[in-house]
Amino acid sequence: LYPIKNDYDVNERENEDKIKEFMFKQLDKKKREASILFCFIDFQNFGEEILDKIDEEYKEIFDYNMISRQIVQFYHIFKKKVNMKKQINIDEFAIKVFNEKKDNIEFPDYLEIIPLCRFYAFDAIVSLIFPSSLKSIHNGAFEKCYSLEKVTFVEKSHLESIGNFAFYECIKLSVFQMPPSVTSIGAGAFRECPNLNISFPPNLKSLGDHAFYGCAKLEEAIIPKLNHKISYSEFFFCTSLRKVEISSNVEIINNYAFYKCTSLQTIKIPSSVKYIGNYAFNLCTSLTKIIFEENSQLTNIGESAFDGCENLLSMNIPFYIQTIGPNAFNKCSKLKLEVLDSFVFYDFASNEFQIP
């Protein structure tokens, strides 16, 4: 790969270092008028380095119109080969980490994915540092890494997704610097991480079932606006959870969503919520007050939804409620219903609900 000016004589090529220096100097100056010639002599010697730099730092100013279609095609084919080579390298990297029992792991800059179960049950790993290039951590990538304590990301991380069970049963994990770029967290991604307290990314669109199941140190859950449901067993047995903010887009609070969140004291249910599932707030023993926003669209409260909330003092039943399941308020001996909107029990099945 050789960059040249219009008056540059290809037959009088300078050494490779000067050629690279010239190219990057032109690109740094954003001189689109500089001609670029792709030659395939000794391409492998330093072509990969230049292509990577173009792709990462100069993509916006690199003018593909100055080169032929055939060479552009060759460029993309080469990039695919480079990416395949790098994927093989991460496998080799994982083997090296395992064989040498490395504890503090800093991943290489080019890395874009951590493949499926690649570091499964690597007991020696204590800390991980991921590069900004990383986009996805696949399913089970670090599952059962029992010694893992800390996960950090370099500045301007591009991480988008954390797969199913990616950090499942990382029982010592206490620090995870969640990048704001994350949009998807898979099912069970942090399940049974009892020492983990984490902040939710602002652009989160998808949160899988039981993602934070058993995260006993989790103190705050702020559900971003892009989520339409709180998934099954999402915060099951999060015994330190004290603050929950549910966005105005959420329509469903699924079964067992906040089961046995024993530190939760108050919960505000936005008007958008239509369904509260079975056992959703079961055994939330510190819960004292449930607030439904005005114009609540809630129609269903599931079986044993608030069963065992022994300190629950007050709640208002929304206007459009249709079904309150068996034992929904069982053992809520202190509960007082503050507001009963007109027609709230109209055509109501009397065998489904008993006011304590």
Side-chain angles (χ1 to χ4, degrees):
L1 179 61
Y2 294 100
I4 61 167
K5 290 183 179 179
N6 292 330
D7 58 352
Y8 189 87
D9 187 351
V10 177
N11 295 322
E12 298 178 2
R13 296 187 183 97
E14 299 176 25
N15 63 55
E16 292 178 356
D17 288 337
K18 288 186 177 180
I19 291 171
K20 287 188 288 184
E21 182 183 353
F22 171 82
M23 181 176 187
F24 297 144
K25 185 177 180 181
Q26 297 301 314
L27 289 171
D28 282 333
K29 292 181 178 179
K30 299 187 178 182
K31 289 187 175 180
R32 285 180 172 272
E33 66 274 12
S35 297
I36 298 175
L37 176 66
F38 280 70
C39 297
F40 305 124
I41 302 172
D42 293 329
F43 186 81
Q44 291 292 340
N45 284 352
F46 65 100
E48 180 177 339
E49 177 187 344
I50 291 179
L51 288 177
D52 285 344
K53 196 169 183 69
I54 290 173
D55 211 31
E56 293 173 8
E57 299 182 28
Y58 300 103
K59 184 183 294 184
E60 295 182 359
I61 64 170
F62 190 76
D63 193 349
Y64 289 99
N65 293 324
M66 294 190 294
I67 58 179
S68 71
R69 182 178 299 175
Q70 290 81 5
I71 292 175
V72 172
Q73 289 173 350
F74 182 88
Y75 171 82
H76 291 301
I77 292 170
F78 178 82
K79 285 299 293 180
K80 287 182 180 179
K81 289 181 179 179
V82 169
N83 288 336
M84 288 176 64
K85 179 180 177 182
K86 289 175 178 177
Q87 183 59 57
I88 294 170
N89 286 344
I90 190 60
D91 294 340
E92 295 173 353
F93 183 82
I95 293 170
K96 186 177 181 181
V97 168
F98 182 79
N99 290 338
E100 296 180 5
K101 297 188 181 300
K102 291 189 173 184
D103 53 358
N104 299 307
I105 313 301
E106 184 169 357
F107 287 87
D109 289 340
Y110 59 73
L111 191 65
E112 292 188 358
I113 66 168
I114 304 292
L116 176 73
C117 297
R118 189 60 77 244
F119 296 87
Y120 177 92
F122 277 29
D123 282 347
I125 298 177
V126 174
S127 69
L128 301 170
I129 301 176
F130 291 119
S132 61
S133 58
L134 185 67
K135 294 180 179 178
S136 178
I137 300 173
H138 285 190
N139 298 351
F142 298 95
E143 182 177 342
K144 298 187 178 182
C145 289
Y146 295 128
S147 298
L148 180 61
E149 298 177 3
K150 185 177 182 179
V151 176
T152 57
F153 297 80
V154 301
E155 194 176 354
K156 297 181 180 179
S157 171
H158 290 83
L159 185 68
E160 297 173 358
S161 64
I162 299 172
N164 300 341
F165 300 98
F167 294 92
Y168 172 56
E169 275 193 4
C170 292
I171 56 176
K172 291 186 178 180
L173 182 60
S174 59
V175 177
F176 191 100
Q177 297 178 349
M178 182 73 73
S181 55
V182 172
T183 59
S184 174
I185 297 176
F190 297 98
R191 178 169 175 160
E192 304 290 0
C193 294
N195 290 297
L196 181 64
N197 190 15
I198 204 167
S199 297
F200 283 70
N203 298 311
L204 189 65
K205 297 178 181 178
S206 174
L207 191 58
D209 293 346
H210 49 87
F212 297 97
Y213 182 117
C215 291
K217 293 288 181 69
L218 185 67
E219 297 179 357
E220 183 177 285
I222 299 176
I223 313 301
K225 292 182 179 180
L226 297 175
N227 286 258
H228 295 284
K229 68 176 182 178
I230 298 176
S231 298
Y232 173 82
S233 297
E234 195 69 77
F235 302 100
F236 189 107
F237 205 61
C238 291
T239 54
S240 296
L241 188 63
R242 292 178 174 83
K243 181 180 179 181
V244 174
E245 292 184 11
I246 304 174
S247 75
S248 58
N249 286 349
V250 171
E251 297 181 357
I252 297 172
I253 299 176
N254 252 313
N255 299 349
Y256 296 94
F258 296 94
Y259 182 91
K260 212 169 185 179
C261 292
T262 54
S263 295
L264 188 61
Q265 296 182 5
T266 62
I267 185 75
K268 186 175 183 179
I269 310 293
S271 60
S272 57
V273 173
K274 299 176 180 178
Y275 175 84
I276 296 177
N278 301 338
Y279 299 88
F281 294 92
N282 190 287
L283 292 175
C284 291
T285 53
S286 296
L287 188 63
T288 59
K289 191 171 185 179
I290 304 165
I291 302 170
F292 292 96
E293 285 186 347
E294 290 185 9
N295 302 315
S296 173
Q297 300 300 305
L298 185 70
T299 59
N300 293 276
I301 297 176
E303 178 181 350
S304 298
F306 298 94
D307 187 355
C309 295
E310 56 191 33
N311 288 301
L312 184 59
L313 300 175
S314 64
M315 67 169 289
N316 55 313
I317 295 182
F319 184 86
Y320 295 105
I321 196 75
Q322 296 175 6
T323 302
I324 298 178
N327 300 312
F329 297 96
N330 186 42
K331 297 180 182 178
C332 297
S333 56
K334 300 178 182 179
L335 176 62
K336 294 181 180 179
L337 299 175
E338 291 184 342
V339 179
L340 291 176
D341 289 318
S342 56
F343 304 109
V344 71
F345 292 116
Y346 178 78
D347 198 23
F348 196 79
S350 61
N351 63 338
E352 291 187 8
F353 174 55
Q354 181 177 356
I355 299 177

